[in-house]
Amino acid sequence: MLGAIGATPIVRLERIAEPGAGEVWAKLESFNPTGSYKDRMALAMIEVAERDGRLRPGQTVVEYTGGSTGSSLAYVCALKGYPLHIVTSDAFALEKRRTIEAFGAQIDVIPSPEGITPDLLPRMMARAWEVVAETDGFATDQFNNPDVTDGYAQLGQEILEQLDGRVDAFCTYIGTAGCFLGVTRRLRADLPEVVRVGIEPAESAVLSGGDAGTHRIEGGGVGFWPPLLQPSDLDEVHAVSTADAFAMARRAAAVEGLWSGPSTGANLTVALSLAHRLGSGARVVTTLVDSGMKYLAGELYASG
Ligand SMILES: Cc1ncc(COP(=O)(O)O)c(C=O)c1O
């Protein structure tokens, strides 16, 4: 079951793309076992810690998460026999909480009904450190854990193999920056000119030098600069509003059959604008972060 992580398909957008613009390719990370690219980093965080002895057999694993990392860790920990304690919030999709519980993990929910506010992640982190102390647990601490990039180097490798080594730009939404860093470092090793574009919510455009704010693009826009990321890792940063990200996620599902969530909506918005700017012959790659299945109970796909 752990071997089912990765080796996802990649597809070219054919209907949304503008005539005369560059190609846009989306790596379908929804094909991972829990429906998200986070399976790759959860496996890397656990296996690197196992190898270097930081994680002991039977030790409780503890993480603060919007729910996708939690779902992936719950899957990996269930298979490897580690108890898991997750700190999350009701600002994130209910489906993610239920997935974590389905794989047998314990869960604490921090209330934040108004959405992803700047103080939410610090509150979740503080509770996670209390749980680490209470359980003598192992903190995967995704925002400060350099092992997250290990899992995404393979994603970059797959892109290179699937596209015969030809990529002009890569863009993706930034939370921990694990995916962005793991993929762009692998791409740059072969393609030093590849343009690396980070994406964030317009309402909380901290990477662009703006103020932290409240938004509904789950998985990023946490209100502070992610510690793993250096300004020199980014060639460009693009900000997308919650409304535009939602609209693009809906349009991509209806027009291309690409069924995803808000962060993928942001990814596709930026990928299409880069393809427009770079023009015919250019090749832009992004990720379909996760499946629309994770957002069915929320407002994204609610009709009427
Ligand atoms: C739905 C979603 N999109 C995007 C991201 C951003 O990924 P990363 O943490 O690798 O920057 C995350 C991470 O939490 C996520 O859950």
Side-chain angles (χ1 to χ4, degrees):
M1 290 297 284
L2 293 174
I5 296 172
T8 56
I10 195 164
V11 294
R12 182 173 166 191
L13 272 63
E14 289 177 342
R15 298 177 186 191
I16 297 188
E18 281 173 47
E23 297 173 11
V24 175
W25 291 79
K27 185 81 167 136
L28 302 189
E29 290 295 293
S30 52
F31 277 67
N32 282 299
T34 76
S36 152
Y37 66 40
K38 293 280 175 172
D39 291 354
R40 298 178 185 265
M41 62 79 91
L43 185 62
M45 289 196 301
I46 296 299
E47 292 200 331
V48 177
E50 281 177 332
R51 277 201 297 276
D52 63 22
R54 279 175 295 139
L55 174 58
R56 301 188 303 274
Q59 192 178 9
T60 298
V61 175
V62 184
E63 184 60 287
Y64 51 85
T65 158
S68 291
T69 297
S71 304
S72 300
L73 272 172
Y75 174 78
V76 171
C77 288
L79 289 167
K80 286 181 171 276
Y82 295 102
L84 176 65
H85 193 123
I86 290 296
V87 179
T88 186
S89 167
D90 58 6
F92 307 111
L94 176 64
E95 293 87 329
K96 297 179 184 175
R97 266 182 276 157
R98 293 210 171 132
T99 306
I100 294 167
E101 289 174 322
F103 289 121
Q106 206 181 325
I107 202 161
D108 275 8
V109 180
I110 307 290
S112 187
E114 56 287 15
I116 306 162
T117 54
D119 69 327
L120 177 59
L121 202 70
R123 283 163 63 211
M124 288 164 53
M125 287 168 138
R127 175 63 194 136
W129 287 111
E130 284 172 12
V131 177
V132 170
E134 287 161 13
T135 60
D136 186 24
F138 172 70
T140 39
D141 191 13
Q142 57 174 328
F143 270 85
N144 296 294
N145 187 339
D147 302 337
V148 300
T149 54
D150 276 40
Y152 296 117
Q154 176 60 24
L155 206 171
Q157 176 68 26
E158 291 169 21
I159 291 170
L160 286 169
E161 287 170 11
Q162 289 168 310
L163 296 183
D164 299 323
R166 198 167 72 71
V167 178
D168 296 296
F170 176 77
C171 62
T172 205
Y173 190 61
I174 291 195
T176 65
C179 177
F180 175 83
L181 290 170
V183 172
T184 55
R185 283 177 186 155
R186 180 62 198 90
L187 295 180
R188 274 271 165 121
D190 282 23
L191 304 169
E193 303 296 318
V194 80
V195 183
R196 305 160 302 173
V197 181
I199 304 172
E200 64 179 350
E203 299 89 342
S204 190
V206 169
L207 304 178
S208 311
D211 291 333
T214 303
H215 65 94
R216 291 205 172 264
I217 310 179
E218 296 185 30
V222 290
F224 56 83
W225 188 281
L228 297 174
L229 185 71
Q230 302 300 319
S232 59
D233 295 319
L234 291 156
D235 297 314
E236 296 176 24
V237 181
H238 291 227
V240 179
S241 70
T242 298
D244 287 350
F246 274 46
M248 180 58 80
R250 294 182 185 122
R251 193 167 150 228
V255 177
E256 295 270 5
L258 290 174
W259 194 38
S260 66
S263 60
T264 301
N267 285 356
L268 296 174
T269 303
V270 174
L272 288 162
S273 99
L274 287 170
H276 175 80
R277 190 183 87 204
L278 296 175
S280 176
R283 186 175 268 180
V284 180
V285 180
T286 191
T287 55
L288 193 121
V289 178
D290 56 11
S291 164
M293 201 77 87
K294 286 180 182 264
Y295 304 93
L296 269 186
E299 58 182 310
L300 179 57
Y301 293 113
S303 55

